[in-house]
Structure formats: structure tokens, C-alpha cells
């Protein structure tokens, strides 16, 4: 692995793309300080250039160098959750080209909790811009076997870090104001954030503040239908004993999140007419999973 990481670091420094493992989902990474390299990410994903990317760093000091100020409450979040599935949106110093953030004057940053990603950031000695390694609006890969051929053909290297432990994308928090605003839900919940900061947490209800977080996203090829109880003959995700072409999902939100994209990918491979998914409970601990399912079902 050490040799592969060195080769990947060389590719990054030469302005090429590398697929990297993180604890959430696989990322499509480039040198965040190189605009030409970053443009290759947008092209490979088929992603509009106005959708901002997340910058991955190896330390708090490296993050601090990219942003103007980090409020005390955001420092509290960072001490508890970094490295981990938490992304902060902060005011940019301009060290990172504005095209990385789709032209915004803010930058999204996180320290990923995956040893391979951290070793690559250190070896390349660069912050890495990396969105999820899926094609625009499609399922995010949580294992290298699920990477899209178009993505594979665009990269110089793939670092295989095994299946992702978290399984859904990081919680994105706007930290440019006085209190935390959740722009994208994730396994770090609103409750976690309010308990850590002692502040009232709000959730952005529109996509203006989080451009690129589309109503349709994370979608399998087959139409996804959210149902109360799965039909006997339908392909889908169930909490009960599975029938043919069905996947039994873990009863806990964390276990469910870890399994979700891989399970949908496996069902897609069977080319079903549609996929039924039993609705998870309508409680706050299921918020991030329900968000992903609703977007995947949006047509
Ligand atoms: O877990 C993750 O976050 C994964 C792994 C690879 O780290 N990355 C990921 O990146 O999901 P991406 O590009 O697929 O999603 C980035 C999210 C989008 O919802 C985008 O709108 C938001 O972060 N975002 C990024 N920069 C922003 C900014 N400056 N202001 C507001 N939202 C921003
Ligand atoms: Mg994404």
C-alpha cells in the first residue's frame, strides 16, 4: 500500500485524479490548489461547475490556513468530531481557488477519518478537493467494486481502502454565522451538534446555501419507491426476513447507513423494474437516512 500511496501522491502533484477511500464514501480527489486538476473532477463527474467541492486536509493547522476565522463553537465541533464525517463551511482566504467552491467566497473543509486518505494527503503535501466519486445525481460508491466505468477511466490511480464504515456522506455545517446551520444531514446529527456547542441548531430548508445538494441525488438506475411494507415479489430493502431479490437492512440507523448504497447498487445489478424501500421510522435519529432515500426516490 505504501508504494501505491506514493504513486498516487505523484499523480496528485502532477495534476491528475485519484480515487480515495474515506470513512463516509469514496472520493474523487485532486490537488485543491490546482485549478486545472480540479476542472478534471467536474468533467469526470458530469457535475455543474457551480456545485462546490469539499477540501480534505490532514490537520487542524492545515484547515486554519485555508479559512479566515473559525468561531469558538466550530472549534468545539472540530475537537470532538475531527477526523470524522463532519464538514465545515467557512470563509475562504482565497488560498484555495474560488472555482473549487463553485465561485463562492466560502470553502467546505474536513479531516477524513481514513488512514489511507490521511497518508495520501501527507505524502502529496496538498489539500485534496474531493467530491463523492459518483457520476452527477447517481449512487455514491462505498467500495471500489461499485465505481462507475467513466469515473475509473478518468483517474490515474484507485486506492482501495475496503468498504466505507459510515456509508453516507458527511454532515455539512455552515459555520460562517453565529450558530450552526446544517446544510446536509449525516450521521453526526443536529442533537450531537447542539449538545457539543450548547447552541440552537437550524437546518437549511432550501438549496440556495448549499448549491449542488439536489432534490434528486444518490439514485439507483431503477425507480425507487418508498413504501410502508415491501410487496412479496418486489426487489427492494426490507426490515423483515427478505424474499428473493430483497435485502434485509440493519434495524439501527448507523448500520443501515453503512449498508445503504451498496445494497441499492446490488439491487440495481439485477435490473429490476423498480426498487421498493420500506420507510424507516419518522424519528430524528433516522433523519440522514431518510434524506438520502427521499432524494434517491425523487424523479
Ligand atoms: O463525506 C463526504 O462529504 C464525501 C467524502 C468524499 O468526503 N464528499 C462529498 O462531497 O460528499 P460532495 O462534493 O459530493 O458534496 C459536497 C457537499 C454538497 O452538498 C455541497 O453543496 C456542499 O458540500 N458544499 C461544499 N462547499 C460548500 C460551500 N462553500 N458552501 C455551501 N455548501 C458547500
Ligand atoms: Mg456527492
Amino acid at each position: 500500500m505504501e508504494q501505491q500511496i506514493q504513486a498516487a501522491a505523484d499523480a496528485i502533484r502532477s495534476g491528475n485524479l485519484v480515487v480515495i477511500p474515506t470513512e463516509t464514501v469514496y472520493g474523487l480527489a485532486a490537488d485543491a490548489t490546482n485549478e486545472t486538476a480540479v476542472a478534471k473532477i467536474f468533467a469526470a463527474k458530469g457535475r455543474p461547475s457551480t456545485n462546490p467541492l469539499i477540501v480534505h486536509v490532514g490537520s487542524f493547522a492545515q484547515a486554519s490556513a485555508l479559512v479566515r476565522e473559525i468561531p469558538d463553537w466550530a472549534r468545539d465541533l472540530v475537537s470532538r468530531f475531527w477526523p470524522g464525517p463532519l464538514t465545515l463551511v467557512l470563509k475562504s482566504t482565497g488560498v484555495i481557488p474560488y472555482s473549487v467552491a463553485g465561485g463562492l467566497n466560502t470553502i467546505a473543509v474536513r479531516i477524513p477519518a481514513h488512514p489511507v486518505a490521511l497518508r495520501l494527503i501527507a505524502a502529496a503535501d496538498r489539500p485534496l478537493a474531493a467530491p463523492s466519486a459518483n457520476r452527477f445525481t447517481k449512487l455514491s460508491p462505498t467500495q471500489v467494486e461499485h465505481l462507475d466505468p467513466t469515473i475509473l477511466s478518468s483517474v490515474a490511480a484507485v486506492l482501495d481502502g475496503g468498504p466505507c464504515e459510515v456509508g453516507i456522506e458527511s454532515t455539512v455545517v455552515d459555520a460562517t454565522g453565529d450558530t450552526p446551520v446544517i446544510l446536509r444531514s449525516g450521521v453526526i446529527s443536529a442533537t450531537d451538534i447542539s449538545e457539543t456547542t450548547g447552541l440552537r441548531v437550524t437546518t437549511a430548508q432550501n438549496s440556495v446555501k448549499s448549491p449542488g445538494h439536489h432534490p434528486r441525488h444518490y439514485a439507483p438506475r431503477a425507480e425507487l419507491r418508498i413504501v410502508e411494507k415491501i410487496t412479496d415479489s418486489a426487489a427492494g430493502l426490507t426490515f423483515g426476513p427478505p424474499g428473493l431479490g430483497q435485502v434485509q437492512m440493519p434495524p439501527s440507523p448507523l448500520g443501515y447507513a453503512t449498508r445503504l448504497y451498496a445494497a441499492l447498487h446490488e439491487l440495481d445489478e439485477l435490473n429490476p423494474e423498480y426498487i421498493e424501500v420500506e420507510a424507516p421510522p419518522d424519528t430524528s435519529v433516522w433523519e440522514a437516512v431518510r434524506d438520502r432515500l427521499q432524494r434517491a426516490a425523487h424523479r
Side-chain angles (χ1 to χ4, degrees):
M1 185 51 99
E2 202 44 52
Q3 267 179 354
Q4 285 168 274
I5 291 175
Q6 280 308 326
D10 290 342
I12 291 287
R13 296 172 70 103
S14 313
N16 293 313
L17 304 185
V18 173
V19 170
I20 62 164
T22 82
E23 80 281 30
T24 58
V25 300
Y26 274 81
L28 181 62
D31 174 358
T33 64
N34 179 339
E35 277 198 279
T36 318
V38 170
K40 293 180 185 172
I41 295 179
F42 288 98
K45 277 183 69 89
R47 179 174 183 152
S49 62
T50 47
N51 288 13
L53 308 177
I54 294 173
V55 176
H56 298 70
V57 294
S59 67
F60 182 73
Q62 203 180 5
S64 306
L66 309 181
V67 299
R68 282 189 193 284
E69 60 205 311
I70 307 178
D72 285 342
W73 61 260
R75 287 171 195 265
D76 294 342
L77 286 178
V78 160
S79 359
R80 172 147 174 221
F81 295 113
W82 276 3
L86 173 76
T87 297
L88 293 183
V89 172
L90 293 155
K91 287 177 191 142
S92 173
T93 54
V95 168
I96 300 294
Y98 289 104
S99 59
V100 172
L104 299 171
N105 60 5
T106 52
I107 199 85
V109 59
R110 81 179 189 101
I111 304 180
H114 197 293
V116 174
L118 292 173
R119 278 155 68 192
L120 177 64
I121 293 167
D125 194 22
R126 295 282 194 283
L128 298 180
S132 47
N134 53 318
R135 294 274 293 162
F136 184 53
T137 75
K138 298 294 197 290
L139 275 175
S140 303
T142 53
Q143 51 192 82
V144 291
E145 294 78 12
H146 296 173
L147 285 160
D148 183 282
T150 314
I151 299 284
L152 284 174
S153 66
S154 71
V155 301
V158 174
L159 293 176
D160 186 350
C164 301
E165 266 175 39
V166 173
I168 61 173
E169 295 81 355
S170 60
T171 307
V172 179
V173 175
D174 181 352
T176 60
D178 294 337
T179 58
V181 180
I182 296 179
L183 302 179
R184 179 177 70 187
S185 57
V187 298
I188 295 174
S189 67
T191 310
D192 294 329
I193 293 168
S194 66
E195 278 174 5
T196 308
T197 60
L199 295 171
R200 210 186 122 93
V201 177
T202 50
T203 300
Q205 290 305 333
N206 60 50
S207 53
V208 176
K209 288 223 82 179
S210 191
H213 201 206
H214 286 263
R216 176 172 171 78
H217 207 153
Y218 321 112
R221 287 193 303 267
E223 177 187 339
L224 189 146
R225 298 177 185 169
I226 300 171
V227 298
E228 267 318 299
K229 192 89 193 78
I230 197 164
T231 316
D232 279 347
S233 58
L237 308 182
T238 175
F239 287 104
L244 203 63
Q246 300 180 349
V247 178
Q248 182 166 22
M249 296 300 284
S252 77
L254 289 182
Y256 194 107
T258 303
R259 187 80 184 91
L260 177 61
Y261 293 151
L264 289 176
H265 186 100
E266 288 159 20
L267 289 178
D268 238 0
E269 293 298 288
L270 307 172
N271 279 315
E273 204 184 321
Y274 55 87
I275 292 172
E276 287 189 356
V277 176
E278 280 178 2
D282 192 8
T283 54
S284 63
V285 289
W286 285 92
E287 161 62 26
V289 162
R290 277 188 293 115
D291 168 73
R292 299 309 189 274
L293 289 174
Q294 274 151 18
R295 289 176 201 275
H298 193 277
R299 302 195 74 74

